[in-house]
Amino acid sequence: MKLDVVYFAWVRERIGVPREVVETEAVNVADLVAELCTREERYAAAFVDMSVVKVALDQTLVALDAPLADAREVAFFPPMTGG
Amino acid sequence: MTVRVQATDFDLGAELAALSKGRVDIGAVVSFTGLVRDLTGDLQALELEHYPAMTQAALEEIEAEAVKRWDLDASLIIHRYGRLQPGAQIMMVATASKHRKAAFESADFLMDFLKSRAPFWKKEHGLAGAAWVDAKEADETALKRW
Protein backbone atom coordinates (compact mmCIF):
# COMPACT_ATOMS: atom_id res chain seq x y z
CA MET A 1 0.00 0.00 0.00
CA LYS A 2 0.97 3.62 -0.46
CA LEU A 3 1.16 5.87 2.57
CA ASP A 4 1.67 9.60 2.87
CA VAL A 5 4.29 9.99 5.58
CA VAL A 6 4.89 13.40 7.18
CA TYR A 7 7.59 14.53 9.60
CA PHE A 8 7.88 17.50 11.93
CA ALA A 9 10.52 19.36 13.95
CA TRP A 10 13.80 17.49 14.51
CA VAL A 11 12.36 14.28 13.05
CA ARG A 12 11.82 16.19 9.79
CA GLU A 13 15.32 17.64 9.96
CA ARG A 14 16.97 14.26 10.46
CA ILE A 15 15.01 12.62 7.65
CA GLY A 16 15.55 15.60 5.38
CA VAL A 17 12.07 15.94 3.85
CA PRO A 18 8.75 17.18 5.28
CA ARG A 19 6.67 14.55 3.48
CA GLU A 20 6.99 11.60 1.15
CA VAL A 21 5.01 8.69 -0.24
CA VAL A 22 6.11 5.32 1.11
CA GLU A 23 5.24 2.00 -0.47
CA THR A 24 5.07 -0.64 2.26
CA GLU A 25 3.44 -3.86 3.38
CA ALA A 26 3.96 -3.10 7.08
CA VAL A 27 0.92 -4.00 9.19
CA ASN A 28 1.53 -1.62 12.06
CA VAL A 29 3.48 1.54 12.89
CA ALA A 30 6.35 -0.31 14.57
CA ASP A 31 6.82 -2.49 11.47
CA LEU A 32 6.89 0.60 9.27
CA VAL A 33 9.53 2.22 11.49
CA ALA A 34 11.66 -0.95 11.44
CA GLU A 35 11.34 -1.17 7.66
CA LEU A 36 12.33 2.47 7.12
CA CYS A 37 15.32 2.08 9.45
CA THR A 38 16.68 -0.75 7.29
CA ARG A 39 16.26 1.33 4.12
CA GLU A 40 18.47 4.31 4.95
CA GLU A 41 20.63 5.63 7.76
CA ARG A 42 18.68 8.89 8.06
CA TYR A 43 15.59 6.98 9.22
CA ALA A 44 17.65 5.08 11.78
CA ALA A 45 18.99 8.44 13.00
CA ALA A 46 15.48 9.85 13.41
CA PHE A 47 13.97 6.73 14.98
CA VAL A 48 16.91 5.69 17.20
CA ASP A 49 14.82 6.32 20.36
CA MET A 50 11.11 5.81 19.76
CA SER A 51 10.31 6.87 23.33
CA VAL A 52 10.77 10.47 22.13
CA VAL A 53 8.85 10.08 18.88
CA LYS A 54 5.07 10.38 18.71
CA VAL A 55 2.89 8.98 15.96
CA ALA A 56 -0.40 10.10 14.46
CA LEU A 57 -2.51 8.14 11.98
CA ASP A 58 -4.76 10.40 9.93
CA GLN A 59 -4.12 13.22 12.42
CA THR A 60 -4.99 11.18 15.53
CA LEU A 61 -2.34 10.23 18.11
CA VAL A 62 -1.79 6.47 18.31
CA ALA A 63 0.54 4.01 20.03
CA LEU A 64 3.51 2.46 18.27
CA ASP A 65 1.74 -0.88 17.88
CA ALA A 66 -1.30 0.66 16.17
CA PRO A 67 -2.32 -1.18 12.97
CA LEU A 68 -1.91 0.86 9.80
CA ALA A 69 -5.16 -0.65 8.47
CA ASP A 70 -6.73 1.92 6.13
CA ALA A 71 -4.65 4.88 7.27
CA ARG A 72 -3.75 7.34 4.55
CA GLU A 73 -1.37 9.64 6.42
CA VAL A 74 1.20 8.71 9.04
CA ALA A 75 2.95 11.49 10.99
CA PHE A 76 6.10 11.23 13.08
CA PHE A 77 7.13 14.03 15.44
CA PRO A 78 8.73 14.78 18.82
CA PRO A 79 6.61 15.28 21.95
CA MET A 80 4.59 18.45 21.40
CA THR A 81 5.49 21.78 22.93
CA GLY A 82 2.43 23.96 22.47
CA GLY A 83 1.23 26.81 24.63
CA MET B 1 -16.46 28.34 21.40
CA THR B 2 -13.76 29.41 18.98
CA VAL B 3 -10.35 28.11 17.91
CA ARG B 4 -8.04 30.11 15.67
CA VAL B 5 -4.61 29.05 14.36
CA GLN B 6 -2.85 31.97 12.73
CA ALA B 7 0.50 33.55 11.90
CA THR B 8 -0.67 37.05 12.72
CA ASP B 9 -0.74 38.70 16.14
CA PHE B 10 -3.95 39.21 18.11
CA ASP B 11 -5.38 42.01 20.23
CA LEU B 12 -5.89 40.51 23.67
CA GLY B 13 -8.15 43.32 24.90
CA ALA B 14 -10.37 43.23 21.83
CA GLU B 15 -10.64 39.43 22.00
CA LEU B 16 -11.69 39.50 25.66
CA ALA B 17 -14.20 42.28 25.03
CA ALA B 18 -15.71 40.33 22.14
CA LEU B 19 -16.05 37.21 24.28
CA SER B 20 -18.72 38.70 26.53
CA LYS B 21 -20.07 41.42 24.25
CA GLY B 22 -23.84 41.73 24.32
CA ARG B 23 -24.22 39.15 27.09
CA VAL B 24 -25.40 39.62 30.64
CA ASP B 25 -25.22 36.00 31.81
CA ILE B 26 -21.41 35.87 32.08
CA GLY B 27 -19.96 36.62 35.50
CA ALA B 28 -16.32 35.68 35.04
CA VAL B 29 -13.73 35.78 32.26
CA VAL B 30 -10.31 34.22 32.81
CA SER B 31 -7.51 34.49 30.27
CA PHE B 32 -3.95 33.30 29.87
CA THR B 33 -1.46 34.69 27.36
CA GLY B 34 1.81 32.98 26.50
CA LEU B 35 4.73 35.21 25.50
CA VAL B 36 8.11 34.56 23.90
CA ARG B 37 10.56 34.91 26.76
CA ASP B 38 14.30 35.46 26.65
CA LEU B 39 15.91 34.78 30.01
CA THR B 40 19.51 34.83 28.83
CA GLY B 41 19.47 37.77 26.44
CA ASP B 42 20.60 35.82 23.38
CA LEU B 43 17.29 34.73 21.85
CA GLN B 44 16.83 36.07 18.33
CA ALA B 45 13.53 34.41 17.53
CA LEU B 46 11.22 31.58 18.49
CA GLU B 47 10.05 29.49 15.56
CA LEU B 48 6.76 27.64 15.95
CA GLU B 49 6.15 24.74 13.61
CA HIS B 50 2.80 22.95 13.56
CA TYR B 51 0.90 20.18 11.80
CA PRO B 52 -1.67 22.16 9.80
CA ALA B 53 -3.89 19.18 8.99
CA MET B 54 -4.14 18.27 12.69
CA THR B 55 -3.84 21.49 14.69
CA GLN B 56 -7.34 22.92 14.38
CA ALA B 57 -9.02 19.59 15.13
CA ALA B 58 -6.71 18.85 18.08
CA LEU B 59 -7.42 22.25 19.64
CA GLU B 60 -11.17 21.88 19.06
CA GLU B 61 -11.07 18.49 20.74
CA ILE B 62 -9.33 19.95 23.81
CA GLU B 63 -11.84 22.80 23.92
CA ALA B 64 -14.77 20.40 23.57
CA GLU B 65 -13.48 18.41 26.53
CA ALA B 66 -13.37 21.59 28.65
CA VAL B 67 -16.92 22.46 27.61
CA LYS B 68 -18.02 18.98 28.66
CA ARG B 69 -16.40 19.27 32.10
CA TRP B 70 -17.30 22.85 33.04
CA ASP B 71 -20.34 25.05 32.61
CA LEU B 72 -18.81 27.52 30.14
CA ASP B 73 -20.66 30.30 28.36
CA ALA B 74 -17.84 31.09 25.97
CA SER B 75 -14.27 30.06 25.24
CA LEU B 76 -11.50 31.07 22.89
CA ILE B 77 -8.16 29.57 21.90
CA ILE B 78 -5.77 31.46 19.61
CA HIS B 79 -2.41 29.90 18.79
CA ARG B 80 0.16 31.47 16.49
CA TYR B 81 2.79 29.78 14.34
CA GLY B 82 5.82 31.04 12.43
CA ARG B 83 8.79 33.08 13.53
CA LEU B 84 8.14 35.23 16.61
CA GLN B 85 10.31 37.85 18.28
CA PRO B 86 11.12 37.92 22.03
CA GLY B 87 8.22 39.53 23.86
CA ALA B 88 5.69 38.55 21.19
CA GLN B 89 2.39 36.90 22.04
CA ILE B 90 2.40 33.18 21.19
CA MET B 91 -1.09 32.16 22.17
CA MET B 92 -4.05 32.85 24.41
CA VAL B 93 -6.93 31.03 25.99
CA ALA B 94 -9.98 32.63 27.53
CA THR B 95 -12.92 31.06 29.28
CA ALA B 96 -16.15 32.67 30.38
CA SER B 97 -18.60 31.34 32.90
CA LYS B 98 -21.20 32.40 35.42
CA HIS B 99 -18.75 31.78 38.25
CA ARG B 100 -15.00 32.25 38.58
CA LYS B 101 -14.15 28.71 39.67
CA ALA B 102 -15.28 27.16 36.39
CA ALA B 103 -13.51 29.87 34.41
CA PHE B 104 -10.21 29.50 36.32
CA GLU B 105 -10.19 25.70 36.31
CA SER B 106 -11.11 25.31 32.66
CA ALA B 107 -8.45 27.82 31.55
CA ASP B 108 -5.87 25.86 33.56
CA PHE B 109 -7.10 22.62 31.98
CA LEU B 110 -6.88 24.07 28.47
CA MET B 111 -3.29 25.18 29.05
CA ASP B 112 -2.19 21.81 30.42
CA PHE B 113 -3.57 20.00 27.37
CA LEU B 114 -2.34 22.61 24.89
CA LYS B 115 1.19 22.09 26.19
CA SER B 116 1.42 18.41 25.37
CA ARG B 117 -1.46 17.59 23.02
CA ALA B 118 -1.52 20.45 20.52
CA PRO B 119 0.81 19.64 17.58
CA PHE B 120 3.24 22.54 17.91
CA TRP B 121 7.01 22.45 18.20
CA LYS B 122 9.25 25.31 19.27
CA LYS B 123 12.73 26.05 18.02
CA GLU B 124 14.85 28.71 19.70
CA HIS B 125 17.12 30.67 17.41
CA GLY B 126 19.93 32.19 19.48
CA LEU B 127 23.20 33.93 18.82
CA ALA B 128 25.07 30.62 19.13
CA GLY B 129 22.70 28.59 16.97
CA ALA B 130 19.27 26.98 17.00
CA ALA B 131 17.81 24.24 19.20
CA TRP B 132 14.45 22.53 19.53
CA VAL B 133 12.73 23.04 22.87
CA ASP B 134 12.33 19.70 24.65
CA ALA B 135 8.98 18.73 26.11
CA LYS B 136 9.07 18.72 29.90
CA GLU B 137 8.29 15.64 31.93
CA ALA B 138 6.27 17.89 34.25
CA ASP B 139 4.00 18.91 31.35
CA GLU B 140 3.05 15.30 30.68
CA THR B 141 2.59 14.64 34.41
CA ALA B 142 0.33 17.69 34.68
CA LEU B 143 -2.29 15.95 32.53
CA LYS B 144 -2.84 13.31 35.19
CA ARG B 145 -4.38 15.75 37.63
CA TRP B 146 -7.43 16.20 35.40
Side-chain angles (χ1 to χ4, degrees):
Chain A
M1 66 183 154
K2 276 196 171 117
L3 280 174
D4 285 320
V5 187
V6 295
Y7 311 103
F8 294 95
W10 58 255
V11 176
R12 169 179 55 73
E13 289 179 342
R14 286 186 197 179
I15 287 169
V17 292
R19 80 163 40 231
E20 61 186 334
V21 176
V22 171
E23 178 85 49
T24 181
E25 295 308 317
V27 295
N28 64 27
V29 176
D31 289 346
L32 174 65
V33 169
E35 185 183 327
L36 289 172
C37 287
T38 62
R39 287 193 193 181
E40 285 184 57
E41 176 55 33
R42 57 197 173 104
Y43 295 104
F47 299 139
V48 62
D49 179 3
M50 287 306 289
S51 73
V52 290
V53 176
K54 293 203 173 272
V55 188
L57 288 184
D58 293 330
Q59 300 89 44
T60 299
L61 282 175
V62 296
L64 200 54
D65 61 357
L68 292 172
D70 299 323
R72 281 176 301 185
E73 184 172 273
V74 186
F76 293 100
F77 44 77
M80 296 163 266
T81 52
Chain B
M1 313 300 159
T2 306
V3 169
R4 297 211 310 264
V5 183
Q6 61 191 47
T8 51
D9 200 7
F10 53 87
D11 181 335
L12 177 63
E15 296 295 346
L16 292 179
L19 205 62
S20 58
K21 189 175 167 32
R23 304 197 40 175
V24 294
D25 57 334
I26 292 171
V29 176
V30 165
S31 77
F32 172 89
T33 313
L35 308 174
V36 179
R37 66 161 181 239
D38 177 16
L39 300 179
T40 54
D42 70 347
L43 185 73
Q44 309 268 280
L46 182 71
E47 180 189 341
L48 276 120
E49 180 172 337
H50 76 123
Y51 183 178
M54 179 176 176
T55 314
Q56 183 81 20
L59 292 176
E60 283 173 1
E61 195 179 321
I62 294 168
E63 189 183 48
E65 185 61 30
V67 167
K68 205 158 70 181
R69 292 184 187 212
W70 288 276
D71 182 17
L72 298 182
D73 296 299
S75 64
L76 170 67
I77 301 174
I78 300 177
H79 208 305
R80 298 178 66 193
Y81 58 87
R83 202 176 169 94
L84 306 180
Q85 301 303 306
Q89 301 185 120
I90 303 172
M91 51 77 60
M92 68 166 290
V93 302
T95 51
S97 186
K98 287 167 187 59
H99 307 287
R100 70 186 151 92
K101 199 168 163 58
F104 268 124
E105 285 181 3
S106 56
D108 200 11
F109 170 91
L110 287 177
M111 284 313 304
D112 274 351
F113 276 82
L114 268 162
K115 278 270 169 204
S116 353
R117 291 292 181 272
F120 287 92
W121 301 276
K122 295 185 179 119
K123 191 177 197 177
E124 290 177 335
H125 293 268
L127 294 170
W132 290 99
V133 176
D134 282 329
K136 293 188 190 72
E137 186 72 38
D139 289 338
E140 191 63 33
T141 312
L143 302 186
K144 297 198 174 82
R145 66 193 180 105
W146 300 107

